[in-house]
Amino acid sequence: MHRSERISKAFILFAKGFDGNLACNGTEQIPMRKSGVRSLPHSRSLPHLSLRIDFDREERIGPGKIQLLEHIRDFGSISAAGRAMDMSYKRAWDLVEEINRICGHVAVARQTGGRNGGGAMLTPFGTSLVARYRKIERDAARAVRKELQALKTDIVRRRKA
């Protein structure tokens, strides 16, 4: 079975929001506190969809790894991306290596030396990975929007009762 077939058969969707464990909804970046939890307003916002793609039991790519790649793209540095996510350079680099291993392609190219001491940038594959993940996330969120609205209505109704 090709890896792409495993992706389509194995991605897992789960709605989050009321418990405060949301990482992002595909279009809006929601910063997370150090504890990894962010409280969301309950009044008008829908629960959001968070997406994790499981390749097998141990290999997965989700909102955290994608956000790390986006920060690397934006900051041009693995260490700055790690700091933005409140993680060490070693943890950020370990995650980048894990992404590379899972995908079988290099997602981040390190740039050594130079006047500013080097940095990092996404490879064309890394850019494509982020774009594809965000598109899958948007499409999935669009597909379940009515169900998320119904879920919110049910939960709000139960809280008032």
Side-chain angles (χ1 to χ4, degrees):
M1 178 182 313
H2 282 337
R3 183 167 289 238
S4 62
E5 291 170 333
R6 286 193 301 172
I7 293 170
S8 63
K9 290 181 181 176
F11 72 85
I12 296 174
L13 304 175
F14 47 100
K16 292 185 177 179
F18 287 107
D19 62 358
N21 289 327
L22 176 66
C24 114
N25 71 1
T27 57
E28 171 189 4
Q29 295 291 323
I30 298 176
M32 296 178 73
R33 293 191 308 236
K34 189 171 187 170
S35 66
V37 175
R38 161 123 165 120
S39 297
L40 295 175
H42 300 301
S43 60
R44 295 205 170 128
S45 69
L46 280 178
H48 293 66
L49 187 69
S50 180
L51 178 95
R52 183 180 77 196
I53 301 171
D54 290 348
F55 295 96
D56 64 26
R57 293 178 145 210
E58 303 289 324
E59 298 177 336
R60 61 187 52 93
I61 294 179
K65 288 177 184 157
I66 294 299
Q67 186 178 34
L68 177 63
L69 292 177
E70 289 171 330
H71 283 321
I72 292 169
R73 177 196 63 209
D74 296 344
F75 296 122
S77 161
I78 294 171
S79 59
R83 280 192 303 273
M85 296 181 71
D86 209 17
M87 70 175 71
S88 69
Y89 170 81
K90 174 154 180 20
R91 176 71 178 138
W93 180 244
D94 286 347
L95 289 172
V96 166
E97 286 184 326
E98 187 176 330
I99 292 166
N100 293 342
R101 181 182 50 75
I102 289 168
C103 297
H105 295 281
V106 175
V108 176
R110 290 174 52 181
Q111 301 169 323
T112 57
R115 214 167 39 204
N116 298 323
M121 61 184 269
L122 295 187
T123 64
F125 172 78
T127 301
S128 174
L129 175 63
V130 169
R132 185 172 308 252
Y133 176 90
R134 292 300 184 199
K135 179 171 182 351
I136 292 168
E137 193 175 48
R138 280 189 309 276
D139 291 350
R142 203 173 298 121
V144 299
R145 182 170 176 75
K146 288 180 184 177
E147 291 302 319
L148 291 175
Q149 178 62 52
L151 176 65
K152 178 184 177 189
T153 301
D154 289 347
I155 290 172
V156 169
R157 202 176 296 139
R158 285 187 198 123
R159 284 185 181 165
K160 289 181 181 179

